[in-house]
Amino acid sequence: MANGSIPVVVALLAATFRLATPLIFAALGGVISERSGVVNIGLEGIMIVGAFFAVYGSSLTGNPWVGLLFAVVSGALVAAIHAVLSIHLKADQTVSGVAINLFAGALTSFLIFKLFGRQGQTDGVAALPYPTETMAKIPVIGPFLAELNWFVFMAIILVFVVHYVLYYTPLGLRIRAVGEHPKAADTLGINVYKIRYLCVIMSGVFAGLGGATLSIGVMNLFREGMVSGRGFIALAAMIFGNWKPFGATAASFLFAFAQAFEILAQKFGWALPTEAYLAFPYILTMLALAGFVGKTTPPAADGVPYNKGER
Amino acid sequence: MQKVVEMKGITKVFPGVKANDDVNFELLKGEIHVLLGENGAGKTTLMNILYGLYQPDAGEIYVNGQKVNIKSPGDAIKLGIGMVHQHFMLVHNFTVAENIVLGSEPKKGIKIDMQKAIKDTKELADRYGFKIDPNAVIEDITVGQQQKVEILKALYRGADILILDEPTAVLTPQEIEELGVILKNLVKEGKSIILITHKLKEVMAMSDRVTIVRRGKVIDTVYTKDTNIDELAEMMVGRKVNLVVQKDEAKPGKVVLKVENISALDHRKLPALKGVNLEVRAGEIVGIAGVDGNGQTELIEVITGLRKPTEGRVYINDKDVTGKTPRDIIEAGVGHIPEDRHKRGLVLKYSLYENAVLGNHYKLPFAKGIMMNYNKIKEYARKLIDEFDVRTPNEEVFASALSGGNQQKFIAAREINKDPELIIAAQPTRGIDVGAIEYIHKRLVEERDKGRAILLVSLELDEILALSDRIAVIYDGQIVDILDAKSATEHELGILMAGGTLKKQA
Ligand SMILES: Nc1ncnc2c1ncn2[C@@H]1O[C@H](COP(=O)(O)OP(=O)(O)OP(=O)(O)O)[C@@H](O)[C@H]1O
Ligand SMILES: [Mg+2]
């Protein structure tokens, strides 16, 4: 997709948007879940599952939109497991998340073999179509738009939607109340468990979309290891962004810029080992977290199971 | 008269305690009915059952003659029941208006109509004479104001049956009087009220009937007009209670605490203390009287090392401790009964024995090197529980399982037993029953007589007048006057606390 004829700045900008998209989806998922008080470090695993099922849905029907639907539903289902474990069974949320991450990797390699009869990666399938030519004709910003895909637009719209829901609707007020002081919400007749289930499952939907971005947005197949820690970077973006949709998005852009820069910088031919470029985004993530953690505040009841009838 | 609530044979068992034991309780339409009982008698538990927070192990509930099954607070709200909880149920980073409408938000399309929420809050507050800014964030307002937000929350939901679990524990006398008027008005509007309080004067002034519970059982229900304070106290504790503090003349010794020209900002960075000077000597109790929010909290925080002053010095036994860490200050000989028992006094999800040694946990005999000696710690916890009659099944339970008053007793026990040279007691008897107040007051006087210096901060003038040897009045971040407690009157204190001066009066 890298187009030799466009200016470097445009390429860098477009790459930043493309790379930010999966992070934004997953980070929004994290924001929704943690705002209701459930830590979801299983985002990585849910992205993997979403990425795989997007490809599977597309390969089954030949329709990538069905693939998208598969990604969303599978993401929701895996998140629902996390919800049952952490909300109902009051399991340790970190352990449950780790379990989901391990499970997702194993499940997808098994399914690649079972459903595609191959190892390591699936067949190529129909990716989500994007009208590159038409976009390129738009004046001024055409060359930039031509480099994107529909997921980018979806992510940006969803940032606004999530912000609106969290800060302007009754549901959002309740979600935030449940994440801060579940007992207070309970005494006002708000069903703490229901809100948490909803939020955790929604976080699965978002992370599933993030996975699909990688498999049928940017590429047209699923490969083991393709998510490569993006779920964790998204968590970092969520923390860095102070558990706010816009903040998490800005952080996602920052991390994505580091990645885009890494890809481009390798072409500059500086006398640095490639590993240095590869490490760049991760180093930036660590620095950002080291500098900002402690200055941001998680929801007060984040990660604490709610026990009705206990005080 | 019509019965709006009838609870029959309610039993509720927690691990190790029968909190309610075959309790019968009824509320008539238009009455103010006080539930009276010692700390841990089971009042909050009974009301939590009525509000759907707990499920009873046995018993039936009727509301307006109908048998009901209240499975959650949502059910209770639908039945027109509102409850103000003993410990605040407020989301600390939400505004007043957001807290009030939470769960029944006014809507414009799919959006919350925040404008209406603010307007409704304002109107409701005005109607009941509460001065409250709907846009203020909860963590920025005083506990007294938070209490009002809690009351407004219940009223906003249109409750006909109002449960108030110790609503006056953090209010000033004036505010309590105002609340009394509000409650009378609510009753006139046809509402019925269940009130829990430990303040017997209030019971006499505000209620129509009183139900007394002791150790989970109902002792009796009486008409307020047929009883009196001494009788109520006796019924509740099961013995005669001495409501007057016995103390001899103080014999003040050397200066233990010296506060010199202290200024400090509150957490919003506004000036809260403006040049405070104060001395407390060994063998005396100095009371600080003042309306809530005039700098008491900040003054204590500065002395205990929880807040840095912008100016001035604090000396303990002539040692400059300004800006030192709380640990240094504890080591300098300060014990602190904090005003907010949940925020500062206890780690709620720690067992009682762990809570028993907080602040001393690293010292012998509780710790040796890096090892904790849990046998000694538990033994010490049992001693505290015994001495202060803390009602709990054992020392292993979480602090959160204790009733509010018993948590308070436990903190007082811990701090007094550190045997400090200076005891800072902020609202030391908040939410405590008369029997336990008698004991804590007695202990504070004993500590004084042993030569300890005691700084008492209380919103209750009665307590200040009963215990103090000298009374410092704080107003707008300054000590405006210091009176001799023997000659001070409630009237004089009232004037000073409101910002007036005595010289002009005389
Ligand atoms: N959730 C719980 N878990 C365990 N024990 C509990 C729980 N709730 C209450 N108890 C116990 O039940 C008893 C009654 O407590 P309750 O809070 O009803 O007392 P109370 O009358 O309201 O006292 P106070 O005046 O101090 O508020 C206490 O012994 C308390 O320790
Ligand atoms: Mg209680």
Side-chain angles (χ1 to χ4, degrees):
Chain A
M1 241 188 288
N3 191 333
S5 67
I6 58 168
V8 174
V9 200
V10 174
L12 188 63
L13 198 66
T16 302
F17 270 74
R18 280 197 313 269
L19 290 165
T21 301
L23 298 182
I24 293 174
F25 279 126
L28 285 178
V31 167
I32 297 171
S33 174
E34 301 216 351
R35 275 299 182 146
S36 79
V38 183
V39 169
N40 189 354
I41 70 158
L43 289 177
E44 172 85 6
I46 299 174
M47 284 179 86
I48 296 174
V49 169
F52 174 81
F53 276 94
V55 167
Y56 182 57
S58 178
S59 112
L60 264 191
T61 60
N63 184 344
W65 294 100
V66 175
L68 193 68
L69 187 71
F70 269 52
V72 164
V73 172
S74 63
L77 286 177
V78 178
I81 300 176
H82 181 56
V84 174
L85 286 173
S86 53
I87 302 170
H88 242 101
L89 303 177
K90 304 186 172 62
D92 186 287
Q93 297 173 10
T94 308
V95 173
S96 159
V98 169
I100 281 173
N101 290 338
L102 296 175
F103 163 73
L107 176 79
T108 47
S109 7
F110 171 70
L111 288 179
I112 293 173
F113 181 70
K114 198 79 191 154
L115 300 173
F116 291 88
R118 306 177 48 160
Q119 251 163 7
Q121 68 178 50
T122 65
D123 307 329
V125 297
L128 213 58
Y130 182 73
T132 311
E133 315 281 82
T134 331
M135 289 292 182
K137 286 194 198 104
I138 296 172
V140 191
I141 53 168
F144 168 68
L145 292 180
E147 294 286 301
L148 306 181
N149 58 57
W150 285 131
F151 285 99
V152 177
F153 295 91
M154 239 186 290
I156 289 171
I157 293 169
L158 283 175
V159 174
F160 286 91
V161 172
V162 172
H163 175 81
Y164 184 85
V165 170
L166 271 183
Y167 292 100
Y168 293 97
T169 67
L171 177 65
L173 191 73
R174 292 173 189 193
I175 291 173
R176 288 184 290 130
V178 165
E180 283 298 327
H181 195 335
K183 182 121 208 189
D186 190 4
T187 60
L188 294 174
I190 294 169
N191 190 328
V192 175
Y193 298 133
K194 222 156 118 187
I195 296 258
R196 287 193 167 173
Y197 264 100
L198 176 75
C199 288
V200 174
I201 289 173
M202 280 314 291
S203 81
V205 167
F206 275 74
L209 278 173
T213 312
L214 296 170
S215 64
I216 59 169
V218 182
M219 303 236 266
N220 65 345
L221 50 74
F222 175 83
R223 186 190 298 140
E224 273 179 37
M226 83 187 308
V227 176
S228 75
R230 284 189 176 78
F232 295 113
I233 298 186
L235 281 175
M238 168 196 79
I239 296 171
F240 192 29
N242 206 4
W243 284 266
K244 291 188 170 117
F246 285 133
T249 304
S252 299
F253 271 111
L254 180 70
F255 296 151
F257 175 77
Q259 285 179 20
F261 187 72
E262 161 215 325
I263 296 167
L264 272 162
Q266 292 188 30
K267 294 189 201 145
F268 294 166
W270 292 333
L272 283 174
T274 27
E275 287 78 10
Y277 295 110
L278 290 177
F280 184 50
Y282 300 95
I283 292 172
L284 184 75
T285 308
M286 286 201 322
L287 287 180
L289 284 178
F292 277 82
V293 165
K295 296 195 182 71
T296 58
T297 5
D302 202 7
V304 189
Y306 180 61
N307 254 329
K308 241 178 139 65
E310 195 198 65
R311 63 174 186 191
Chain B
M1 272 272 219
Q2 186 198 339
K3 290 178 188 167
V4 285
V5 173
E6 202 176 358
M7 301 178 84
K8 282 189 190 164
I10 302 286
T11 297
K12 175 76 185 174
V13 183
F14 290 112
V17 251
K18 216 172 199 178
N20 288 155
D21 186 358
D22 195 18
V23 168
N24 296 310
F25 175 80
E26 54 173 51
L27 177 69
L28 302 180
K29 191 169 172 55
E31 77 166 336
I32 299 181
H33 194 141
V34 165
L35 253 185
L36 188 68
E38 285 179 291
N39 298 125
K43 307 175 296 290
T44 299
T45 303
L46 187 68
M47 290 302 108
N48 279 345
I49 288 171
L50 180 56
Y51 195 63
L53 277 167
Y54 292 163
Q55 300 306 309
D57 297 317
E60 291 173 346
I61 303 175
Y62 297 81
V63 173
N64 294 318
Q66 224 66 39
K67 181 163 190 265
V68 289
N69 183 4
I70 307 177
K71 288 196 294 297
S72 73
D75 292 346
I77 293 170
K78 278 192 213 103
L79 289 166
I81 303 175
M83 177 157 175
V84 171
H85 301 268
Q86 183 170 6
H87 296 115
F88 297 141
M89 292 294 166
L90 296 169
V91 183
H92 69 110
N93 57 357
F94 279 18
T95 65
V96 169
E98 283 171 337
N99 267 289
I100 286 178
V101 301
L102 182 61
S104 39
E105 305 85 356
K107 271 186 273 189
K108 196 154 76 192
I110 58 161
K111 202 178 151 196
I112 297 186
D113 190 345
M114 218 48 227
Q115 242 41 55
K116 185 165 176 342
I118 291 166
K119 200 173 120 252
D120 288 355
T121 302
K122 188 119 202 63
E123 273 172 19
L124 199 63
D126 286 348
R127 179 153 141 229
Y128 294 105
F130 290 167
K131 278 188 222 61
I132 280 204
D133 172 10
N135 289 311
V137 176
I138 295 299
E139 57 194 352
D140 292 340
I141 63 180
T142 64
V143 268
Q145 282 177 314
Q146 292 178 1
Q147 182 69 70
K148 291 174 186 163
V149 177
E150 283 286 18
I151 297 172
L152 290 178
K153 250 165 72 179
L155 294 174
Y156 178 79
R157 281 162 186 72
D160 290 320
I161 300 162
L162 208 54
I163 306 165
L164 303 170
D165 194 350
E166 297 191 29
T168 57
V170 296
L171 298 185
T172 58
Q174 291 90 323
E175 289 174 321
I176 292 172
E177 238 165 74
E178 285 163 31
L179 182 71
V181 175
I182 290 163
L183 296 189
K184 292 254 152 71
N185 285 336
L186 288 170
V187 164
K188 267 191 220 129
E189 287 175 20
K191 301 189 192 295
S192 320
I193 296 172
I194 303 171
L195 178 68
I196 300 178
T197 172
H198 291 291
K199 301 181 184 175
L200 297 172
K201 271 198 203 161
E202 256 166 61
V203 176
M204 295 310 293
M206 290 185 187
S207 68
D208 301 303
R209 286 199 299 166
V210 185
T211 290
I212 298 105
V213 278
R214 194 196 307 157
R215 298 191 181 239
K217 287 202 176 69
V218 169
I219 301 297
D220 202 358
T221 298
V222 297
Y223 285 92
T224 312
K225 58 179 184 340
D226 300 337
T227 185
N228 58 57
I229 287 184
D230 291 318
E231 192 180 286
L232 287 175
E234 193 177 337
M235 268 197 276
M236 150 180 172
V237 185
R239 62 176 166 90
K240 281 230 179 305
V241 181
N242 194 348
L243 295 167
V244 189
V245 181
Q246 306 285 344
K247 68 183 193 359
D248 303 327
E249 189 77 17
K251 297 182 200 70
K254 65 172 180 30
V255 176
V256 175
L257 171 72
K258 186 166 175 192
V259 172
E260 223 175 58
N261 196 29
I262 284 284
S263 294
L265 304 177
D266 65 14
H267 71 279
R268 286 166 300 178
K269 307 274 175 258
L270 302 174
L273 296 176
K274 305 167 182 167
V276 171
N277 290 296
L278 188 68
E279 275 183 10
V280 184
R281 291 167 176 277
E284 74 167 349
I285 301 179
V286 174
I288 294 197
V291 176
D292 192 22
N294 275 288
Q296 296 96 318
T297 308
E298 288 79 8
L299 178 59
I300 295 171
E301 286 176 348
V302 167
I303 299 174
T304 52
L306 294 163
R307 181 179 296 277
K308 295 245 179 311
T310 50
E311 226 183 297
R313 315 242 48 112
V314 179
Y315 300 92
I316 288 167
N317 282 328
D318 289 329
K319 192 172 150 234
D320 189 345
V321 296
T322 322
K324 287 272 166 60
T325 62
R327 178 149 160 181
D328 291 334
I329 291 172
I330 293 170
E331 303 233 304
V334 178
H336 176 204
I337 304 173
E339 64 172 350
D340 187 333
R341 56 183 168 238
H342 283 181
K343 202 159 110 195
R344 296 248 197 256
L346 295 166
V347 182
L348 287 170
K349 293 292 165 198
Y350 272 21
S351 63
L352 280 184
Y353 64 80
E354 286 166 314
N355 273 292
V357 294
L358 288 185
N360 276 342
H361 53 277
Y362 55 92
K363 286 189 198 144
L364 281 168
F366 308 130
K368 196 172 171 195
I370 58 165
M371 299 296 288
M372 306 290 285
N373 185 343
Y374 279 107
N375 286 332
K376 282 275 185 289
I377 292 175
K378 287 182 187 174
E379 195 181 296
Y380 182 69
R382 282 193 292 271
K383 176 183 140 182
L384 298 186
I385 289 167
D386 243 37
E387 224 179 271
F388 279 74
D389 187 23
V390 178
R391 305 280 166 89
T392 170
N394 53 51
E395 72 282 0
E396 312 263 342
V397 300
F398 279 157
S400 61
L402 259 58
S403 80
N406 282 301
Q407 293 174 347
Q408 185 72 28
K409 279 152 69 176
F410 191 74
I411 298 170
R414 178 184 72 205
E415 295 304 319
I416 292 177
N417 268 290
K418 278 183 187 161
D419 205 12
E421 297 204 39
L422 170 69
I423 299 175
I424 298 176
Q427 326 291 353
T429 57
R430 173 180 287 180
I432 291 191
D433 68 56
V434 285
I437 290 179
E438 179 193 24
Y439 182 71
I440 288 187
H441 282 178
K442 196 174 108 218
R443 279 300 295 263
L444 286 175
V445 171
E446 272 172 28
E447 295 304 310
R448 180 200 75 163
D449 294 342
K450 271 199 253 164
R452 307 287 172 238
I454 296 174
L455 180 64
L456 169 75
V457 178
S458 177
L459 298 177
E460 303 223 24
L461 279 188
D462 286 345
E463 182 164 53
I464 294 269
L465 282 164
L467 281 180
S468 312
D469 301 307
R470 290 190 299 138
I471 302 174
V473 182
I474 193 165
Y475 175 76
D476 194 24
Q478 283 174 317
I479 303 284
V480 289
D481 210 342
I482 297 183
L483 309 179
D484 188 338
K486 281 195 293 296
S487 55
T489 65
E490 208 163 312
H491 177 71
E492 285 173 339
L493 290 175
I495 293 170
L496 289 168
M497 282 162 59
T501 48
L502 294 181
K503 319 262 170 341
K504 276 181 211 134
Q505 285 275 321

